[in-house]
Amino acid sequence: MSTVLGAKIVYADHMPAGLIPAALTENTAPFALEGKHPELVVLNDRPWNVETPPHLLDDPVTAAETLFVRNNGIPPKNIDLSQWTLTIEGESAQKKKVYTLEDLKSKFKNYTYQLTIECGGNGRNEFNPPAKGNQWTTGAVGCPEWTGVKLKDVLKDVGIKDDAVYIGYYGQDTHLSNDPEKVVISRGVPMHKALEDESLIAWALNGKDLPLMNGYPLRLVFGGWPASTSGKWLSRIVIRNQVHDGPKMGGDSYRVPCKPVAPGTKVPEEEMCIIESMPVKSLITYPKTGARIDEGQPLAIRGHAWAGDLSVQAVDYSIDFGASWKSCKLQAPKNRLAWQHWQAEIDFPEKGYYEVWARAKDSEGKMQPMLVPGWNPKGYLNNACHRIAVMVV
């Protein structure tokens, strides 16, 4: 936060995690992070964690400047593309191979997919008891177009042993302690996800180089899974004969209780399960909450919906706090694992205050909950209905 405030925060070590400085709560100066929209909301600057207000996600394809930032360490500096390499090795690799960026771009067929990535903690601020960590509201999600090579093509070029179970990644970001030997984060996915057609080693977003804060020059992209699996500043991939055990793969990190628990329950590690596919969810991107319309005037609403590895089969809206629902018009995804656009037009019966709620249902019939779903220690997977305020005058 000190960068935003323009001065060192004295006694910053005593500052509760996730607390927004009082000065910022009344600060009208625009936020400034190179390449990012000034209306993004800063949750933390060490490391950078910045979310996107829903109305800035209205475009069908998320722009680079409005894609959220969820970093765990400090991005690398003075990057020399000619020296950047990707090493693939591990106990379940047939051999160790090292690729330059040019090797990846020229040796393998290139692909472009629109893929949804969402932070596992998106919506954390609604849990009670509160969960520690950045208090994301709704904006840690985006769906740009990613260009790169299929991870499976590169893994097969290296050779995969029959006992392969998982892949793990390592990036070139630096730990907040500045200890060069300390790994910031090293997560991964099971082989079945790694070998999907849409799992990419990507170097471009919407046809241009990745933004530095989003992984320049190379990253993984696993659409529909927690964005923490999509490793940034990618320099090494390991093919494992066990579930990857890098930093933030154990404990409470990106894990939820395997069975529902009461809020506040202390859950043993062996009863926590790794988050894989994200749950069905929707977002109202137009209009902004607080909209005012004249009595008798219909209101057009629109937004996006997504469902992890699945697709979305329906989106409904409600203006009576969920007592009744009406269908929205839903589009097919541009490709598998892209979000889907929806729209509707609402007639309001009289003047007054309304809330518009949106609710999506996935291709297996599972529906978004109206309120916050099962409590978990780190506040993951909140897919409760999004709602906006509308005043009819």
Side-chain angles (χ1 to χ4, degrees), residues 149-161:
V149 294
K150 292 182 179 180
L151 173 60
K152 70 177 183 181
D153 289 348
V154 182
L155 295 180
K156 289 178 179 176
D157 187 62
V158 171
I160 307 169
K161 292 182 180 178

Side-chain angles (χ1 to χ4, degrees), residues 113-232:
Y113 293 113
Q114 189 181 359
L115 301 171
T116 307
I117 61 170
E118 180 181 14
C119 176
N122 197 23
R124 175 178 290 136
N125 75 323
E126 292 186 344
F127 280 96
N128 190 27
K132 292 181 179 178
N134 295 293
Q135 296 300 300
W136 302 100
T137 60
T138 58
V141 63
C143 193
E145 289 186 341
W146 307 91
T147 298
V149 294
K150 292 182 179 180
L151 173 60
K152 70 177 183 181
D153 289 348
V154 182
L155 295 180
K156 289 178 179 176
D157 187 62
V158 171
I160 307 169
K161 292 182 180 178
D162 291 341
D163 64 352
V165 172
Y166 234 83
I167 67 99
Y169 69 75
Y170 293 87
Q172 287 293 314
D173 43 343
T174 306
H175 196 272
L176 296 178
S177 65
N178 290 320
D179 181 348
E181 302 301 319
K182 200 166 183 178
V183 176
V184 176
I185 181 172
S186 175
R187 303 200 65 232
V189 299
M191 292 308 297
H192 70 82
K193 184 64 178 177
L195 298 177
E196 284 186 348
D197 281 344
E198 299 83 4
S199 296
L200 296 181
I201 300 172
W203 55 76
L205 185 155
N206 297 343
K208 297 182 178 178
D209 288 345
L210 297 169
L212 175 63
M213 287 291 160
N214 297 112
Y216 175 82
L218 198 67
R219 68 174 296 168
L220 289 165
V221 183
F222 295 114
W225 283 40
S228 56
T229 60
S230 296
K232 295 179 283 188

Side-chain angles (χ1 to χ4, degrees), residues 281-294:
K281 199 167 181 177
S282 59
L283 190 66
I284 304 169
T285 59
Y286 182 86
K288 290 173 65 172
T289 190
R292 296 172 69 89
I293 62 169
D294 294 330

